[in-house]
């Protein structure tokens, strides 16, 4: 079974600085999807970025980018120019490439990010 | 609708009561998932529907939990004889196709007192 581990329960960053959130996962599959979700205090679940394992290029969405190391099974999220609105829980998630119930998301326990003004 | 809608947003119930949580997915979305998120944890899979068929219920913790999606659209998650340990955020997510991108609802926060 696949597992997702986020080893940093809490992180803090100064506004305008850069922070990296760690995520490792375990799988025997060669193809899969990885995601970072943001959960602000409103407790919505917002997709931040998505990476397909067969793509070597790291995904980027504006100030958010990932460092995907497939061999190491590592998928870290880098937030550049941190803003107060980035403060939230961040969840790393894994999904098999198959549909159906195998396509359900497997989440890590989350990292709480604080942004200091 | 424009997004995944869940109701009620908050539910406080007494131990032993039954509760029904509703999910209205995005129109046309085939796949529907239910997740449970305890405080300080990531969401955990409960059950999955493809159209009206419940294809996986392996994540339901016990037989007090059940779900249905009779017409392949709105889904209801029912918890019978609620217990305090059932207190959590219950989330629904839908996708256009199997394996497609997910849209999450805002969740129902259930508190059992």
């Amino acid at each position: 079974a696949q597992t997702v581990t986020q080893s940093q329960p809490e992180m803090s960053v100064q506004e305008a600085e850069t922070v990296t959130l760690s995520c490792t996962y375990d799988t025997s599959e060669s193809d899969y999807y990885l995601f970072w979700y943001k959960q602000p205090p409103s407790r919505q679940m917002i997709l931040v970025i998505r990476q397909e394992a067969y793509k070597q290029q790291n995904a980027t969405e504006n100030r958010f980018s990932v460092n995907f190391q497939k061999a190491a099974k590592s998928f870290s999220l880098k937030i550049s120019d941190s803003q107060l609105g980035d403060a939230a829980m961040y969840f790393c998630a894994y999904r098999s490439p198959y549909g159906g119930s195998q396509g359900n998301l497997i989440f890590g326990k989350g990292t709480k990010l604080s942004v200091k003004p | 609708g424009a997004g995944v809608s869940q109701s009620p947003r908050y539910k406080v119930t007494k131990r032993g009561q039954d509760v029904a949580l509703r999910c209205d997915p995005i129109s046309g979305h085939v796949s529907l998932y239910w997740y449970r998120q305890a405080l300080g944890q990531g969401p955990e899979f409960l059950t999955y529907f493809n159209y009206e068929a419940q294809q996986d219920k392996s994540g339901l913790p016990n037989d007090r939990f059940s779900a249905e999606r009779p017409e392949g659209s709105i889904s209801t998650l029912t918890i019978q004889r609620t217990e305090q340990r059932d207190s959590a955020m219950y989330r629904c997510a839908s996708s256009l196709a199997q394996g497609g991108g997910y849209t999450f609802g805002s969740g129902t926060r259930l508190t059992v007192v």
Side-chain angles (χ1 to χ4, degrees):
Chain A
Q2 296 85 12
T3 58
V4 177
T5 302
Q6 292 180 251
S7 58
Q8 306 153 316
E10 295 188 25
M11 291 283 284
S12 181
V13 64
Q14 203 72 32
E15 194 176 7
E17 297 295 307
T18 295
V19 64
T20 299
L21 308 184
S22 301
C23 173
T24 58
Y25 57 94
D26 190 24
T27 183
S28 58
E29 295 173 326
S30 59
D31 193 19
Y32 44 86
Y33 299 97
L34 296 166
F35 306 84
W36 278 98
Y37 280 88
K38 172 184 178 182
Q39 190 173 81
S42 66
R43 299 207 74 184
Q44 286 186 302
M45 206 73 166
I46 302 166
L47 177 64
V48 174
I49 201 163
R50 158 189 165 132
Q51 175 81 43
E52 294 159 346
Y54 65 86
K55 290 186 177 178
Q56 294 186 340
Q57 187 172 8
N58 289 325
T60 299
E61 287 287 341
N62 301 313
R63 296 182 296 107
F64 299 86
S65 62
V66 298
N67 183 4
F68 173 48
Q69 301 289 328
K70 190 172 184 180
K73 296 180 181 174
S74 171
F75 182 62
S76 60
L77 174 70
K78 186 172 83 171
I79 307 175
S80 304
D81 185 26
S82 297
Q83 300 176 0
L84 295 177
D86 295 334
M89 280 289 285
Y90 286 82
F91 291 99
C92 179
Y94 170 102
R95 201 195 86 200
S96 290
Y98 311 107
S101 58
Q102 295 179 67
N104 84 81
L105 290 164
I106 300 168
F107 288 89
K109 291 189 174 183
T111 296
K112 183 177 181 181
L113 178 66
S114 303
V115 181
K116 297 179 180 178
Chain B
V4 178
S5 177
Q6 290 188 247
S7 61
R9 187 163 182 185
Y10 301 94
K11 177 69 177 179
V12 180
T13 190
K14 290 185 177 179
R15 190 175 51 160
Q17 297 293 307
D18 298 351
V19 294
L21 312 180
R22 173 185 164 124
C23 172
D24 192 352
I26 292 173
S27 179
H29 275 201
V30 167
S31 298
L32 187 148
Y33 298 82
W34 281 98
Y35 291 84
R36 179 170 71 172
Q37 184 177 10
L39 197 62
Q41 301 291 320
E44 293 181 332
F45 170 75
L46 293 177
T47 188
Y48 161 73
F49 289 87
N50 186 42
Y51 294 103
E52 72 281 359
Q54 186 177 22
Q55 298 196 329
D56 187 343
K57 54 182 182 180
S58 62
L60 296 177
N62 53 60
D63 60 8
R64 295 186 297 105
F65 287 72
S66 63
E68 63 175 9
R69 193 186 185 196
E71 298 179 0
S73 178
I74 293 170
S75 178
T76 302
L77 177 70
T78 301
I79 309 172
Q80 296 179 311
R81 305 181 301 282
T82 53
E83 301 177 3
Q84 283 189 319
R85 59 178 172 156
D86 299 333
S87 297
M89 174 75 83
Y90 290 83
R91 293 192 181 275
C92 172
S94 70
S95 68
L96 185 60
Q98 295 191 41
Y102 297 78
T103 300
F104 278 89
S106 295
T108 294
R109 184 190 293 273
L110 174 66
T111 303
V112 183
V113 297

